[in-house]
Amino acid sequence: MDLGPCVSTEATGKSQAPHTGTTIVAVSFDGGVVLGADGRVSTGTYISNRASNKIQQLTDNVFLLRSGSAADTQAIGDYVRYFAEQLACELGAPPSVATVAKLVSTMNYQNKEMLMGAMIVAGYDEQQGGQVYGCPIGGTLVREQWAVDGSGSTYIWAALDDAFKEGMTRKEAEALVVDALSLAMARDASSGGIIRTVTLDKTGAHVRYIGGSDVPTWFEDLPAPNAAAAGMAVG
Amino acid sequence: MASSRLVAGSAVADAEFSRDISLGTTIIAVQFAGGVVLGADSRTSSGSYVANRTQDKITPLLDHVYLCRSGSASDTQAIAGYVQYYLAQLQAERGGPVRVETAAMMAMQMAYGNKNALQAGLIVAGFDADGGSVYAIPLGGTLLRVPFAIGGSGSAYITGWCDKNWRGDMSRDEALDFVRNALRHAMARDSSSGGCVRTVVIDAAGASREFIPGPKLQPTYDELPAPA
């Protein structure tokens, strides 16, 4: 019985997700898209990086959210950035989001035996406005209004099903992404730390960083300790 | 857990439909000011075959204490049977009301004492002199008193939704709505959960059941409504 990328934690006692150690979210709104990711990279029980950047820029207006094998997704991101730059020179104009997403999925498909990269491509162009494309393992390409991936995504499917509304404002979409990420980070041991978001609209890319103590807290979470009280220097 | 019997015909196909019956499931219970609301989906699967699409997974242990079952259908039925028996005996001997906590501990002893042999995720909830209470008994046999509990394969998908939408001050109707919505969202995303929604509300007046057929559930994101 195939339950997809997540098996009941009750049945096996351990998540057997092929997408490891991440929560990535992209949501489209009226006039653009918002992308977001957590910051945790773990090797076993050690968190090797608690503030990593899982969002890679492919062109001025298209970004890549990476989950699965870090090496594979970095390689794909680098190749696609190279191809997209070449294409921009040839076209004399930035490539469309659809084209860049297709490049990512094509790499996934042609090398499907070797690769384990589950990615989301999101961007903004004049032709179709804000767009979100899922590029899962295997080489599928599917345009969605919103997409999630990574081990933490299991816990927020229903939250996004319920809260997503077509034609949201930028602020609403940004709040939705931050809420969804923080809910996943609260429950998924492989996700956590900080939140990074990128908002893309006709004015360009707007990057935001939310430090650990500013991540929203939910049921059973304790509020973050005060930095000064904890004896840390506040810059 | 998978057991493949060799019978005449395609061994592979038969193996698929002969797996141990599993309550791939979503179960939930929520405490509110005057009692508790329990809820469950209705799908019982044997491999990819849905053996029962209108299963009742909410089982009475006493008039005022019910059990939500997830995991192996046979294991949870056996546990429920034993607990009903022991509680009935206790109630007769004591000649007075049995507390929800007692019923929950009874179920926990069964789950913990036979932990290597069982695959059962349970939620015990009821109403007694101290009000409503919910007890979670996940795999392994821990006993945890909690304001609300979710379990089964479908519960993973709604953890975020429940964390976001649960409030400690819900009324009976709000708690019922919370349970119905949690279940329909889980059923929309978990292939092992589905069918219809069953709920039981236990308060000072006793236990009352409700049944919502699948087509009557409000569709979630991207779902089409059931044809009229």
Side-chain angles (χ1 to χ4, degrees):
Chain A
M1 178 164 57
D2 180 50
L3 296 174
C6 53
V7 175
S8 161
T9 49
E10 283 210 328
T12 61
K14 187 178 181 336
S15 177
Q16 287 175 11
H19 321 293
T20 52
T22 287
T23 313
I24 50 177
V25 181
V27 166
S28 54
F29 64 92
D30 184 21
V33 288
V34 184
L35 300 78
D38 75 302
R40 180 170 292 182
V41 179
S42 34
T43 48
T45 54
Y46 178 64
I47 298 168
S48 50
N49 189 344
R50 59 189 169 97
S52 73
N53 188 356
K54 304 179 186 181
I55 309 178
Q56 181 174 14
Q57 184 161 20
L58 298 177
T59 69
D60 286 345
N61 54 324
V62 183
F63 282 71
L64 176 72
L65 289 162
R66 306 184 292 107
S67 79
S69 157
D72 288 349
T73 54
Q74 282 177 359
I76 293 168
D78 289 344
Y79 270 114
V80 171
R81 198 171 44 185
Y82 167 58
F83 293 140
E85 194 168 334
Q86 267 190 336
L87 187 56
C89 291
E90 290 166 17
L91 292 173
S96 66
V97 185
T99 304
V100 178
K102 185 91 186 178
L103 285 169
V104 173
S105 67
T106 303
M107 294 217 70
N108 264 344
Y109 183 70
Q110 302 291 0
N111 301 288
K112 58 160 73 199
E113 292 79 20
M114 295 182 292
L115 296 175
M116 280 256 300
M119 293 162 285
I120 299 172
V121 177
Y124 178 89
D125 61 29
E126 297 302 316
Q127 294 96 309
Q128 297 192 72
Q131 298 145 73
V132 173
Y133 293 87
C135 304
I137 295 171
T140 320
L141 174 66
V142 56
R143 180 168 176 200
E144 317 253 25
Q145 291 181 305
W146 57 271
V148 290
D149 216 328
S151 58
S153 67
T154 314
Y155 305 103
I156 51 175
W157 281 105
L160 277 157
D161 276 341
D162 196 33
F164 177 81
K165 302 280 175 284
E166 209 171 323
M168 288 186 287
T169 65
R170 173 181 161 168
K171 283 255 172 312
E172 287 170 337
E174 285 173 343
L176 176 58
V177 166
V178 170
D179 276 2
L181 283 167
S182 56
L183 285 164
M185 287 155 68
R187 289 289 181 182
D188 179 31
S190 311
S191 302
I194 54 112
I195 291 178
R196 295 186 194 273
T197 69
V198 175
T199 304
L200 285 159
D201 58 17
K202 62 178 192 285
T203 63
H206 310 269
V207 179
R208 206 167 136 220
Y209 168 85
I210 300 172
S213 48
D214 297 324
V215 171
T217 53
W218 303 97
F219 175 66
E220 285 181 334
D221 273 337
L222 295 170
N226 181 283
M232 288 167 8
V234 179
Chain B
M1 180 166 89
S3 61
S4 46
R5 288 194 333 260
L6 285 179
V7 295
S10 160
V12 172
D14 282 340
E16 171 68 8
F17 300 128
S18 307
R19 298 241 178 88
D20 285 357
I21 297 205
S22 146
L23 296 174
T25 282
T26 314
I27 51 175
I28 177 172
V30 178
Q31 180 189 332
F32 66 94
V36 291
V37 182
L38 296 84
D41 76 303
S42 67
R43 179 169 293 182
T44 307
S45 33
S46 178
S48 60
Y49 174 64
V50 177
N52 188 342
R53 60 189 174 100
T54 53
Q55 173 73 21
D56 182 7
K57 305 179 186 183
I58 311 178
T59 309
L61 298 178
L62 292 161
D63 287 343
H64 57 289
V65 183
Y66 276 63
L67 169 73
C68 293
R69 303 182 291 116
S70 79
S72 156
S74 50
D75 287 351
T76 57
Q77 281 180 353
I79 292 172
Y82 275 110
V83 176
Q84 283 166 343
Y85 169 63
Y86 288 131
L87 286 176
Q89 235 180 13
L90 183 64
Q91 193 156 50
E93 288 169 11
R94 190 171 289 179
V98 174
R99 297 170 62 208
V100 183
E101 187 186 12
T102 308
M105 293 212 76
M106 198 82 84
M108 175 274 283
Q109 294 289 4
M110 302 248 61
Y112 179 69
N114 301 286
K115 60 156 59 208
N116 292 323
L118 294 174
Q119 199 164 51
L122 308 168
I123 302 177
V124 177
F127 180 85
D128 58 23
D130 299 321
S133 48
V134 174
Y135 294 85
I137 306 173
L139 255 54
T142 327
L143 177 63
L144 284 166
R145 167 122 195 241
V146 286
F148 78 93
I150 54 176
S153 55
S155 66
Y157 302 98
I158 53 172
T159 23
W161 187 92
C162 289
D163 282 345
K164 183 175 179 185
N165 291 301
W166 176 80
R167 288 180 354 261
D169 58 357
M170 290 193 283
S171 67
R172 179 192 195 275
D173 288 336
E174 286 168 335
L176 244 184
D177 262 343
F178 179 84
V179 164
R180 289 186 199 121
N181 285 320
L183 286 167
R184 82 179 164 88
H185 276 114
M187 287 156 67
R189 286 292 179 184
D190 179 31
S191 54
S192 308
S193 301
C196 46
V197 165
R198 292 185 186 274
T199 63
V200 175
V201 180
I202 313 176
D203 54 19
S208 58
R209 275 191 180 274
E210 185 193 67
F211 170 84
I212 308 173
K216 292 273 183 299
L217 294 169
Q218 198 193 335
T220 60
Y221 176 78
D222 244 12
E223 280 187 324
L224 295 170

